[in-house]
Amino acid sequence: MDVFEHLGAALGLASLAGINLYLTAFVAGLAIRFNWIDLAASHEGLGVLGNEWVLAVAGIMMVIEFCADKVPWLDSGWDAIHTVLRPAGGVLLGMAALGEMDPKFLAIGGLISGGASLTMHGAKAGTRLLVNMSPEPVSNSVASVAEDCLVLGGLTLTAFAPVVAFAVFVILLVVAVLIIRKTFGSVHALWRGLRDRTKRGQA
């Protein structure tokens, strides 16, 4: 079970970082700082999240993201900037959660963590592109709050039931891949339709 607990913690943190890196780091850091969870010796690498400086930076960035994420199209620009940052953060969180392991397993874990973060980021960014095409702004805020709730729920599950979290996040990643295919396919179709109408208008 220890292996699946480590994998659950790593996959959970990495996946959630792909949705909201700063909220994930801040809430996990608070939980560690105030001993809301018992940090196992094998996960002591995550202890750095409880450092006051790390909490301060994560908190500031979390507030900025919270505001930017509610504004149509600004959120997509923010997502574009974080296409590298979220997967990189996911790799660091995932490898810290794995703890001390054989280097080859850590390397594999790092690759999986990065892939999980990038996949969740892609699903979030693609969904937001479609939401931003809606004429009313309410759906954008609803989507953002739903993502924040998903992160908080995912962190709770990862902290108290990492084995269950492993299974849940594997399923979520499969769903995320399907979302990416559908959303980016829809965006491409819309773009092609706009291009064709423009060409007909110029003819």
Side-chain angles (χ1 to χ4, degrees):
M1 278 299 185
D2 286 346
V3 173
F4 285 102
E5 287 179 355
H6 280 76
L7 289 175
L11 191 62
L13 289 172
S15 298
L16 296 173
I19 300 173
N20 192 323
L21 172 61
Y22 307 117
L23 178 61
T24 299
F26 183 73
V27 174
L30 283 181
I32 293 168
R33 177 84 175 183
F34 294 103
N35 297 314
W36 296 342
I37 58 172
D38 293 325
L39 197 63
S42 56
H43 290 157
E44 62 184 12
L46 291 171
V48 69
L49 294 177
N51 177 273
E52 57 187 13
W53 287 103
V54 175
L55 279 172
V57 172
I60 292 170
M61 296 304 296
M62 179 189 69
V63 172
I64 294 173
E65 177 155 22
F66 181 84
C67 297
D69 211 40
K70 306 296 184 293
V71 181
W73 296 111
L74 178 59
D75 63 335
S76 290
W78 185 265
D79 285 339
I81 293 171
H82 285 77
T83 299
V84 174
L85 294 177
R86 285 175 185 155
V91 170
L92 294 175
L93 291 175
M95 293 186 72
L98 288 173
E100 294 184 5
M101 283 189 171
D102 187 296
K104 62 176 175 288
F105 291 123
L106 277 177
I108 293 171
L111 292 172
I112 292 174
S113 295
S117 292
L118 184 60
T119 299
M120 296 300 285
H121 167 75
K124 169 190 166 72
T127 301
R128 285 307 189 86
L129 280 174
L130 291 181
V131 170
N132 283 331
M133 293 178 183
S134 172
E136 45 77 32
V138 178
S139 56
N140 186 278
S141 296
V142 171
S144 179
V145 171
E147 291 163 2
D148 293 342
C149 291
L150 175 61
V151 171
L152 294 175
L155 285 171
T156 302
L157 182 64
T158 300
F160 296 104
V163 177
V164 177
F166 175 73
V168 169
F169 281 106
V170 167
I171 294 172
L172 284 178
L173 286 169
V174 173
V175 173
V177 170
L178 296 176
I179 290 174
I180 289 171
R181 290 185 62 185
K182 184 173 181 61
T183 54
F184 281 95
S186 298
V187 169
H188 178 69
L190 286 170
W191 172 256
R192 186 172 56 188
L194 288 171
R195 184 184 61 187
D196 291 343
R197 281 198 294 271
T198 301
K199 287 182 178 179
R200 285 197 297 270
Q202 293 173 347

